[in-house]
Amino acid sequence: MTAWTVRTGHGPAHPISGGRPTAGPEGGTRSRGRGTSRVFGALAGAAALLTLAYGAGVGVAAQESAPAAPGGHGAHDSHGGHGGHGAHGASAADPSRADDVAGAGGSSWMRAAGVFSPPGSFVPSDALTYDTRLVPAGARIEVTRFTGPSGTRVGARLHGLVPGRAYGMHVHTSPCGADPAAAGPHYQHRPSATADPVNEVWLDFRTDEDGDGRAEAVQDWNFREGGARSVIIHDRQGGAGERAACFTVPFGPEDSV
């Protein structure tokens, strides 16, 4: 957003109105372009309100040291999902671009966060909700991916969903689009093989009383280059379900922005 400054005193013409300052009643000065500056001030205020209302913004994701290398496979969440193990706790995600950080030994660490909005919203987003009853506009998501020599760990944290509800979530092959089908099928380590938490990345979770949820999946394999591009939130847990929302995620270092 551009901040316009109106200077007083004798000087060049006003950059917006073209008027020159004139003497005021106290010997000071005023600008003849006051009406125009009020209009631009109102527009700037409206833009700021839209930014606050929709949670829009782009920031640099914090670069963190890589976590411990993965040691198994399967999905885990802190509210009774697959495996029954708790995910790593942290604060809710802020809207930001994805960031990929290289670590030692050929490992890398990625974090991407976004705010959900319906397709075609005034403020574009990589996080799209197709069913605002299940994933309200303004709900937030953060996805992390750690890749190391022994495999891949994918984590997810969500805020602002329906309290006390079970959701399914999987990694998909293509970026999100206005059509829920645009994200393609589940990513599979062995294509056209079994659809299960070992061959795919399942991140099923249950929200708490505040509508927050989190999950983690650990695999002993790594993503193929360009093969995984999004996560889909489903209306129920398991291998299928209606697509309620989608978040485009650059899972591979070659996809980072």
Side-chain angles (χ1 to χ4, degrees), residues 211-233:
D212 298 345
R214 55 190 180 185
E216 183 178 86
V218 180
Q219 310 293 355
D220 57 8
W221 43 261
N222 295 327
F223 290 116
R224 292 183 299 278
E225 182 175 340
R229 301 298 300 276
S230 63
V231 293
I232 286 280
I233 299 176

Side-chain angles (χ1 to χ4, degrees), residues 177-255:
D179 183 348
H186 294 181
Y187 176 88
Q188 294 191 326
H189 174 55
R190 292 179 290 114
S192 302
T194 56
D196 57 41
V198 176
N199 193 43
E200 302 178 346
V201 180
W202 291 22
L203 295 160
D204 292 354
F205 64 94
R206 178 179 291 275
T207 56
D208 60 18
E209 64 275 10
D210 297 320
D212 298 345
R214 55 190 180 185
E216 183 178 86
V218 180
Q219 310 293 355
D220 57 8
W221 43 261
N222 295 327
F223 290 116
R224 292 183 299 278
E225 182 175 340
R229 301 298 300 276
S230 63
V231 293
I232 286 280
I233 299 176
H234 296 272
D235 64 343
R236 61 181 181 273
Q237 295 185 346
E242 296 297 322
R243 302 185 180 196
C246 182
F247 180 39
T248 298
V249 179
F251 279 106
E254 73 284 347
D255 300 324

Side-chain angles (χ1 to χ4, degrees), residues 60 62 132-133:
V60 178
T132 55
R133 297 169 301 175

Side-chain angles (χ1 to χ4, degrees), residues 90-183:
S91 60
D94 291 324
S96 69
R97 68 174 176 85
D99 203 14
D100 196 283
V101 183
S107 63
S108 66
W109 168 250
M110 181 280 303
R111 181 175 65 181
V115 178
F116 286 102
S117 63
S121 296
F122 177 76
V123 179
S125 175
D126 285 334
L128 301 176
T129 175
Y130 307 118
D131 188 340
T132 55
R133 297 169 301 175
L134 299 180
V135 181
R140 291 177 284 169
I141 184 171
E142 180 182 82
V143 175
T144 58
R145 184 268 303 148
F146 172 72
T147 297
S150 60
T152 297
R153 175 185 292 137
V154 177
R157 293 177 294 184
L158 300 101
H159 174 74
L161 304 184
V162 178
R165 194 187 193 286
Y167 291 84
M169 185 159 62
H170 312 100
V171 172
H172 282 245
T173 61
S174 301
C176 306
D179 183 348

Side-chain angles (χ1 to χ4, degrees), residues 5-35:
T5 301
V6 178
R7 298 181 181 274
T8 60
H10 299 291
H14 190 277
I16 300 173
S17 66
R20 294 184 179 274
T22 58
E26 304 297 330
T29 59
R30 59 184 175 85
S31 172
R32 289 177 178 170
R34 184 177 302 171

Side-chain angles (χ1 to χ4, degrees), residues 14-79:
H14 190 277
I16 300 173
S17 66
R20 294 184 179 274
T22 58
E26 304 297 330
T29 59
R30 59 184 175 85
S31 172
R32 289 177 178 170
R34 184 177 302 171
T36 305
S37 64
R38 287 176 177 171
V39 172
F40 275 85
L43 289 174
L49 290 175
L50 284 172
T51 299
L52 291 174
Y54 285 93
V58 177
V60 178
Q63 296 190 1
E64 304 178 19
S65 58
H73 60 75
H76 312 281
D77 72 63
S78 59
H79 303 286

